Amino acid sequence: MLVSGRRLLTALLQARKGPFQPSRDMRLVQFQAPHLVGPHLGLESGNGEGIIDLNTYDPTLPKTMIQFLEEGEATLSVARRAQAAQLPVLPWSEVTLLAPVTRPDKVVCVGMNYVDHCKEQNVPVPKEPIIFSKFSSSIVGPYDEIVLPPDSKEVDWEVELAVVIGKKGKHIKATDALAYVAGFTVAHDVSARDWQMRRNGRQWLLGKTFDTFCPLGPALVTRDSIADPHNLKIYCRVNGQVVQNSNTNQMVFKTEELIAWVSRFVTLYPGDVILTGTPPGVGVFRKPPVFLQKGDEVQCEIEELGVIINKVV
């Protein structure tokens, strides 16, 4: 079994015995398998035993999540039919999960968006969302490795709820915003604190966007599969030790407010990813500070969404 396959097995076992169970509603994935040509779109089976290959079920479907989302309700209805049918399942041991979204038009990030994270830093709660970005080239899969850059000695962890946009919009009203959401996934906003806080004129971008600094996954859980995205337990563990433990109800600006705010400035497109901020417990504010080292393993987990596991190399 591949290294990523072992992490997948660990994640599945973690989910079954962990503090909460992943949702078994509509869970869309991008994956690869040795017998398939290129990435395929899939659906986690209802019994959790593997992946339903949507492109085998309907060869006319797009093979990337962004194209799938661009086609809207037509492709979602195909996925629903596949979910209801008794279809063959590819076992986890035969697939490699990719990030549920790859090469989005933009990855929008939100700073200082948890009340308890602001308290941790002894700073006031923001009056307006603090927006920055990561380049989409930083995205990797849910069980891929995080590569420590030689230019940084202060690489830190941040578990985050990620919102995936489902349709194009500009100047979106907060009351309409959830209609623009395809679903949610788990993100790890890996951060080089030396570059974020002291280098590059203290602009955050470079410290946030090294290659491999945005693990995503394991699945895109559709909006209607989550009862309340703003009441989910959220954890990060480093080498098995819980370092972040909070709830998305601590978010200062909820999904609707963030979409309304960001869309004042830019057009949002299907597949765009919004990282909604991290709770307290990051390494840089520990006394003394703690940073990721080669050989560490980071698990980021959110209730109903699942867990991603990334080895640091």
Side-chain angles (χ1 to χ4, degrees):
M1 189 182 295
L2 298 174
V3 172
S4 60
R6 290 199 295 271
R7 291 194 196 114
L8 174 57
L9 179 59
T10 301
L12 293 169
L13 292 173
Q14 178 82 33
R16 288 173 182 172
K17 71 178 182 180
F20 35 74
Q21 295 289 326
S23 163
R24 285 299 168 201
D25 293 305
M26 182 73 76
R27 300 175 59 85
L28 297 162
V29 299
Q30 293 188 133
F31 73 98
Q32 291 178 323
H35 68 284
L36 299 174
V37 178
H40 276 224
L41 276 179
L43 188 65
E44 287 191 18
S45 65
N47 58 15
E49 293 182 354
I51 297 295
I52 297 167
D53 185 348
L54 289 175
N55 295 119
T56 298
Y57 174 71
D58 185 344
T60 68
L61 281 177
K63 290 188 176 181
T64 71
M65 189 69 73
I66 290 177
Q67 292 173 319
F68 178 90
L69 296 176
E70 286 173 341
E71 296 192 15
E73 182 58 34
T75 47
L76 276 172
S77 64
V78 174
R80 292 191 193 99
R81 289 198 300 271
Q83 188 177 39
Q86 297 295 319
L87 297 175
V89 173
L90 294 172
W92 293 113
S93 59
E94 295 181 11
V95 302
T96 298
L97 285 187
L98 309 174
V101 176
T102 45
R103 300 182 182 177
D105 184 74
K106 61 186 72 70
V107 180
V108 179
C109 305
V110 186
M112 316 256 285
N113 198 36
Y114 275 68
V115 174
D116 44 9
H117 185 44
C118 294
K119 291 179 181 177
E120 172 184 53
Q121 303 174 63
N122 196 29
V123 296
V125 174
K127 302 296 184 184
E128 296 176 337
I130 298 172
I131 303 298
F132 61 100
S133 66
K134 297 169 91 81
F135 294 138
S136 63
S137 55
S138 65
I139 292 175
V140 292
Y143 312 115
D144 289 343
E145 294 173 335
I146 296 167
V147 179
L148 293 175
D151 289 323
S152 176
K153 304 300 180 187
E154 298 181 1
V155 176
D156 202 353
W157 57 83
E158 292 191 10
V159 60
E160 306 208 7
L161 172 70
V163 179
V164 180
I165 298 299
K167 64 179 181 177
K168 181 180 177 180
K170 182 78 183 289
H171 298 298
I172 301 166
K173 295 179 181 179
T175 51
D176 300 330
L178 284 181
Y180 289 80
V181 174
F184 302 88
T185 194
V186 182
H188 185 181
D189 180 14
V190 187
S191 305
R193 301 300 187 191
D194 37 9
W195 283 92
Q196 178 191 357
M197 296 180 169
R198 297 191 301 278
R199 306 286 298 276
N200 194 41
R202 297 185 180 180
Q203 296 288 323
W204 291 4
L205 176 65
L206 289 184
K208 293 285 188 171
T209 204
F210 284 97
D211 289 350
T212 74
F213 269 28
C214 190
L216 288 179
L220 191 166
V221 183
T222 55
R223 180 187 73 243
D224 56 359
S225 299
I226 303 297
D228 183 359
H230 306 118
N231 189 25
L232 301 174
K233 296 174 185 176
I234 181 169
Y235 292 141
C236 178
R237 303 176 188 84
V238 177
N239 300 326
Q241 177 184 356
V242 176
V243 291
Q244 293 182 275
N245 180 1
S246 188
N247 192 293
T248 58
N249 62 22
Q250 290 291 303
M251 287 168 59
V252 180
F253 303 102
K254 310 303 185 188
T255 299
E256 299 92 327
E257 298 168 281
L258 294 174
I259 290 174
W261 179 260
V262 172
S263 70
R264 287 174 58 179
F265 305 93
V266 298
T267 301
L268 294 174
Y269 293 98
D272 281 355
V273 180
I274 302 176
L275 274 59
T276 58
T278 198
V282 296
V284 69
F285 296 124
R286 293 174 177 264
K287 301 184 186 303
V290 178
F291 299 109
L292 293 172
Q293 305 295 324
K294 180 180 178 181
D296 286 346
E297 184 178 86
V298 186
Q299 298 182 7
C300 294
E301 186 170 7
I302 300 179
E303 185 178 10
E304 298 185 36
L305 302 184
V307 58
I308 61 177
I309 302 175
N310 306 98
K311 193 82 170 180
V312 180
V313 300

